[in-house]
Amino acid sequence: MAHSRKKAKKDEDDLRGATGGEDVIDDQIIEQGAVVLRGYVIQRIHTENPEVHVSHEILGGTPSEGDDPQVKEVVCQLLKIADDLNRNTELQHLINTVQANCAQDVFVTVARSIFSDGINWGRVVALFHLAYKLIHKALTQNRFEIIRHIISWVLQFIRENISAWIRQQGGWEGVIRSVSRWRTVSILFAAAFITAVVYWRRTH
């Protein structure tokens, strides 16, 4: 990841001047985001439920993709931001209401609610936290076929809605330079889940 970021910075001016240059950078952001997401999910599961077996391969990655020190630092910062989410009991109750095999439209409804009035790293973490909770449920229910669908939904949402913002922050490493704790994100995320649960109950 560190090597690819150096290359991206080196070539950024040329890419911006070429047709589709920003798309190339966004492709790198999505690739890196997949590695970071898998690292986030694995670390969170190891912390909260260490008896559950999970690996980068199970989540669709490669064995060594999480060894990059830069990846580890990004994941560590995201986990720090996520601490507040776990302290919100109402949020945890609402998360448990959403099934691991929820439809993509329910997932997208929640994701859009999270970012309904802006983007920041706290809301990006909220998106990852949603994915983590659903993946954890799928693992404990042996619903492995669902896991890659969830990851695909997250990456598709990032590409379509927030990759440009992440690019403007200098890539995923931008979160390392962020010192805010984003304490309001748990409230925003809880509100998003209320919307999703209402939607879920009306349509299922």
Side-chain angles (χ1 to χ4, degrees):
M1 180 174 177
H3 174 73
S4 62
R5 283 298 304 155
K6 288 179 181 178
K7 185 177 186 302
K9 287 180 180 294
K10 179 178 181 298
D11 295 341
E12 185 170 357
D13 290 339
D14 292 337
L15 289 172
R16 289 184 181 279
T19 301
E22 290 186 351
D23 289 339
V24 173
I25 296 174
D26 287 349
D27 286 344
Q28 294 173 347
I29 287 172
I30 299 304
E31 291 174 5
Q32 294 164 2
V35 176
V36 171
L37 173 60
R38 287 189 285 264
Y40 177 93
V41 170
I42 289 169
Q43 290 303 314
R44 182 59 71 184
I45 289 176
H46 284 171
T47 299
E48 296 188 359
N49 200 353
E51 66 272 17
V52 174
H53 174 66
V54 63
S55 66
H56 284 272
E57 299 97 307
I58 289 176
L59 301 183
T62 60
S64 61
E65 68 179 15
D67 294 341
D68 188 324
Q70 197 80 8
V71 171
K72 292 181 179 179
E73 192 171 359
V74 170
V75 170
C76 180
Q77 183 64 24
L78 295 177
L79 290 169
K80 289 178 181 178
I81 295 173
D83 285 344
D84 289 335
L85 298 180
N86 273 342
R87 297 191 186 103
N88 189 307
T89 55
E90 180 184 4
L91 170 62
Q92 298 308 316
H93 173 72
L94 290 170
I95 288 174
N96 291 332
T97 306
V98 181
Q99 299 300 311
N101 62 342
C102 70
Q104 184 175 3
D105 58 349
V106 174
F107 179 90
V108 172
T109 296
V110 177
R112 286 177 177 168
S113 297
I114 292 170
F115 296 95
S116 61
D117 60 351
I119 304 173
N120 59 42
W121 285 115
R123 297 178 191 210
V124 174
V125 171
L127 178 66
F128 276 29
H129 201 70
L130 167 62
Y132 149 67
K133 286 293 187 179
L134 296 179
I135 289 171
H136 180 264
K137 288 182 182 181
L139 285 169
T140 57
Q141 297 169 8
N142 293 320
R143 302 291 300 275
F144 298 104
E145 73 282 0
I146 297 174
I147 294 172
R148 296 193 185 188
H149 289 307
I150 296 169
I151 292 176
S152 175
W153 296 345
V154 174
L155 298 179
Q156 180 179 342
F157 186 87
I158 290 173
R159 179 181 293 279
E160 294 177 355
N161 297 276
I162 61 177
S163 63
W165 181 86
I166 294 173
R167 176 173 13 99
Q168 291 168 4
Q169 311 311 305
W172 291 97
E173 290 86 347
V175 72
I176 299 171
R177 298 186 291 273
S178 173
V179 296
S180 299
R181 293 290 297 169
W182 308 108
R183 292 194 178 278
T184 58
V185 71
S186 58
I187 298 173
L188 295 169
F189 197 35
F193 259 97
I194 291 172
T195 301
V197 170
V198 170
Y199 179 86
W200 173 268
R201 288 174 177 170
R202 287 179 178 175
T203 57
H204 292 77

